[in-house]
Amino acid sequence: MLCMLMICYDPTRPPIASEQNLQPEHAKLERELRERGLFVSGAGRWPVEHAKSVRKKDGKTTTTDGPFAEKKEALGGYYIVDCDEAAAIEIAGRIPVETRSYVQVRPIALFHPNVARISKMKD
């Protein structure tokens, strides 16, 4: 099963200056997951200040800066892993996060006809 492990944070709370750079710990975890054959994809994301929102209404497309007004939390980065739910939860617990952050585990549903293997949720 494919799972997305989303690193979420509250963009209204500034980072704590004393918290260390977690990038080396993320790189270490990614290497381990690759060696175990569980890592599919992953990336960090720029803060919400760099985001654009694209909406369609009445056949017209509009673009605005960021999701600022609507969001109380933002996605800071993610891992996609190929494992069962229990392993995904264990890995999520090992992802280094700041005190203003948490990790959300979500199964991925693939609905593309050309995908050879479909990720299925348990009934």
Side-chain angles (χ1 to χ4, degrees), residues 10 18 21-23 28 41 57 65 69-70 80 85 92 112 118-119 123:
D10 180 349
S18 64
N21 175 7
L22 299 175
Q23 215 40 47
K28 181 180 175 183
S41 178
K57 184 176 179 181
D65 287 339
E70 313 87 60
I80 296 178
E85 183 179 70
H112 193 281
I118 302 297
S119 179
D123 294 334

Side-chain angles (χ1 to χ4, degrees), residues 1 5 18 24 26 32 40 43 73 92 109-110 120:
M1 171 170 72
L5 312 179
S18 64
H26 283 279
E32 178 194 327
V40 175
E73 61 183 39
L110 300 175
K120 297 181 181 178

Side-chain angles (χ1 to χ4, degrees), residues 45-105:
R45 295 189 22 171
W46 287 98
V48 294
E49 295 83 30
H50 299 275
K52 301 289 183 201
S53 294
V54 178
R55 292 179 172 80
K56 290 191 178 210
K57 184 176 179 181
D58 299 325
K60 295 183 181 182
T61 302
T62 60
T63 304
T64 57
D65 287 339
F68 308 113
E70 313 87 60
K71 300 295 179 192
K72 299 227 187 262
E73 61 183 39
L75 179 62
Y78 67 93
Y79 290 76
I80 296 178
V81 294
D82 188 359
C83 57
D84 63 29
E85 183 179 70
I89 290 169
E90 184 272 327
I91 294 165
R94 297 179 51 218
I95 294 174
V97 294
E98 300 174 328
T99 55
R100 67 182 180 148
S101 305
Y102 67 94
V103 179
Q104 187 180 114
V105 177

Side-chain angles (χ1 to χ4, degrees), residues 29-42:
L29 179 59
E30 181 181 325
R31 277 192 304 275
E32 178 194 327
L33 295 174
R34 285 179 184 277
E35 289 169 4
R36 293 173 54 195
L38 302 175
F39 185 83
V40 175
S41 178

